[in-house]
Amino acid sequence: MAKKQILAELRKFDRSVEVELLSEDKVVARVENEVIPRLIGKKGATIKELEDYLGISIEVSPKIKTLGKEADFEKRFILHR
């Protein structure tokens, strides 16, 4: 399967998706955290449909591996007691 076709399908969910080919039949799709539920779908239906259509296994991974928003470590706070 051509990476270009995989990207085209996954960009319907996240325009900035990053795809890493792990093997001939497996990829990792790194997407924005808020896109993950829509990409996977209810009970995995959407991702399964994509996998069947493309003929590959798709591992979905967040681009930012955090519990929330990306942290800005440049900000400093002063606490007053």
Side-chain angles (χ1 to χ4, degrees), residues 1-13 19 24-27 39 46-58:
M1 176 62 49
K3 186 175 179 178
K4 196 184 280 189
Q5 185 179 2
I6 296 166
L7 276 170
E9 289 300 318
L10 293 172
R11 282 186 175 147
K12 294 175 183 176
F13 297 89
V19 174
E24 228 177 76
D25 60 350
K26 184 166 183 155
V27 298
L39 178 56
T46 305
I47 196 71
K48 177 160 180 15
E49 186 177 307
L50 275 170
E51 289 176 329
D52 290 345
Y53 174 71
L54 295 169
I56 58 166
S57 174
I58 303 170

Side-chain angles (χ1 to χ4, degrees), residues 15-80:
R15 300 280 312 146
S16 65
V17 64
E18 298 168 1
V19 174
E20 178 185 352
L21 296 170
L22 298 179
S23 69
E24 228 177 76
D25 60 350
K26 184 166 183 155
V27 298
V28 174
R30 289 184 182 82
V31 297
E32 297 296 334
N33 292 13
E34 61 270 7
V35 172
I36 293 173
R38 190 166 48 94
L39 178 56
I40 293 174
K42 191 174 257 187
K43 296 185 180 180
T46 305
I47 196 71
K48 177 160 180 15
E49 186 177 307
L50 275 170
E51 289 176 329
D52 290 345
Y53 174 71
L54 295 169
I56 58 166
S57 174
I58 303 170
E59 180 182 319
V60 179
S61 179
K63 279 187 190 176
I64 301 170
K65 296 182 185 215
T66 63
L67 296 175
K69 298 287 183 189
E70 188 172 4
D72 180 2
F73 292 105
E74 294 300 313
K75 293 183 181 177
R76 292 177 174 53
F77 298 96
I78 299 173
L79 299 175
H80 298 280

